[in-house]
Amino acid sequence: MKILLVDNSNTRTKFTLAEGSKELSGTFWIPTREISPESLSEKLAGLDFDAALICSVVPEKRAILEAFLSSLAPIHLLTHESPLGLALDYPKPASIGADRLANAVGVVARHGSPAVVIDFGTAVTFDVISAAPAYCGGVIAPGLGAMTEYLGRRTALLPTFELAEPPAAIGKSTAGAMQSGAVIGYRGLVKEILAEIRRELGEDIHAVATGGDAALIARGVQEIEHVDPDLTLHGLRIVAEEVFL
Ligand SMILES: Nc1ncnc2c1ncn2[C@@H]1O[C@H](COP(=O)(O)OP(=O)(O)O)[C@@H](O)[C@H]1O
Ligand SMILES: CC(C)(COP(=O)(O)O)[C@@H](O)C(=O)NCCC(=O)O
Ligand SMILES: [K+]
């Protein structure tokens, strides 16, 4: 059975096909703002699948994905009521972003629990999973791209610049100084949040990173043990196996 997995997040909507193995057979993405019946017809043309699992944190685009895919195959929308294989130790589980639930499922299966998964996307999210495994809660902070874009928009003289490793901490140009603030500053944010999480838990749990900015930031954060770029899709694959197989 071929299952189409869809991670509809705020910047990019990622797709892949699960075909019963632990590998994902090719991933591709569409900018989320471009999701429409037309772009879906074009990008999914010729793709053959028997079911689809959608994880969405963008309601307007979720409605388009649901309508489009349900005309082709049975679909399941990931929620806190999906078979996640973990307890949700959280006052309002319905409020947890579906991508964060998928990350929690993915990290337990691929890296073990207890764990903290950090997703460097539009927002950066930290999610803590206990040994049980149970989802315990987490942290939401502005994402690296959103933060730097905002700085460019709210100032008269600051340019947009490439998010890349700064040549030095002490910038010798406006763009160099901004790269330093973004990349080095962001690593500081991550280290401090991880340290506080570990202090609060009284336990040295391992950290796994995913999301568009994971590789750039994790390179300078020794507390992050693994970067797993497709972790969310793997979480979806595991839930899809429970739902459809
Ligand atoms: N080709 C790309 N398109 C968009 N963002 C990218 C790309 N490559 C890296 N990024 C970075 O990834 C971030 C978005 O990460 P992503 O995991 O796609 O977010 P989300 O899951 O919220 O949609 C952007 O802020 C940007 O800095
Ligand atoms: C925190 C998020 C914006 C992250 O989205 P992303 O950066 O992956 O696009 C998303 O998971 C969300 O809208 N969550 C709902 C609120 C919550 O998780 O508490
Ligand atoms: K995401």
Side-chain angles (χ1 to χ4, degrees):
M1 186 182 199
K2 290 185 187 173
I3 308 170
L4 180 69
L5 307 176
V6 186
D7 166 14
N8 174 222
S9 289
N10 286 284
T11 300
R12 293 188 277 185
T13 297
K14 297 96 177 170
F15 298 84
T16 194
L17 271 184
E19 301 189 67
S21 85
K22 291 195 171 177
E23 302 308 314
L24 302 175
S25 60
T27 65
F28 58 98
W29 56 272
I30 307 179
T32 295
R33 64 173 181 281
E34 290 175 16
I35 294 281
S36 66
E38 296 73 29
S39 67
L40 291 174
S41 300
E42 190 187 318
K43 287 281 182 181
L44 303 182
L47 206 66
D48 177 32
F49 53 92
D50 306 298
L53 188 140
I54 306 169
C55 162
S56 174
V57 290
V58 188
E60 179 204 334
K61 299 300 184 185
R62 177 181 64 215
I64 296 172
L65 285 159
E66 258 191 284
F68 185 88
L69 294 173
S70 62
S71 72
L72 301 174
I75 65 164
H76 178 86
L77 203 62
L78 189 137
T79 73
H80 67 290
E81 289 174 329
S82 300
L84 303 173
L86 43 107
L88 301 175
D89 178 12
Y90 201 77
K92 290 186 179 164
S95 68
I96 308 167
D99 57 342
R100 304 177 68 190
L101 294 174
N103 284 341
V105 173
V107 83
V108 171
R110 288 169 64 79
H111 305 277
S113 59
V116 52
V117 44
I118 314 174
D119 190 331
F120 294 93
T122 315
V124 61
T125 53
F126 293 66
D127 290 295
V128 176
I129 297 94
S130 70
Y135 178 88
C136 302
V139 176
I140 302 172
L144 186 58
M147 212 167 69
T148 51
E149 202 186 292
Y150 183 74
L151 192 59
R153 265 196 285 126
R154 291 297 300 262
T155 55
L157 293 181
L158 295 189
T160 53
F161 64 99
E162 189 200 354
L163 271 176
E165 194 65 46
I170 304 171
K172 296 288 190 191
S173 66
T174 305
M178 291 175 79
Q179 280 176 334
S180 177
V183 175
I184 297 177
Y186 218 80
R187 289 183 183 137
L189 172 144
V190 171
K191 287 181 194 181
E192 188 59 21
I193 291 174
L194 271 179
E196 274 307 315
I197 288 175
R198 286 173 171 166
R199 259 195 294 275
E200 209 163 283
L201 288 172
E203 202 181 348
D204 187 21
I205 64 173
H206 74 285
V208 177
T210 191
D213 296 309
L216 173 63
I217 298 303
R219 205 188 286 156
V221 183
Q222 66 179 31
E223 292 86 342
I224 297 176
E225 284 172 25
H226 303 281
V227 175
D228 194 345
D230 295 323
L231 186 68
T232 314
L233 289 173
H234 278 289
L236 297 185
R237 171 180 63 75
I238 292 154
V239 176
E241 285 166 6
E242 290 299 318
V243 172
F244 294 113
L245 301 186

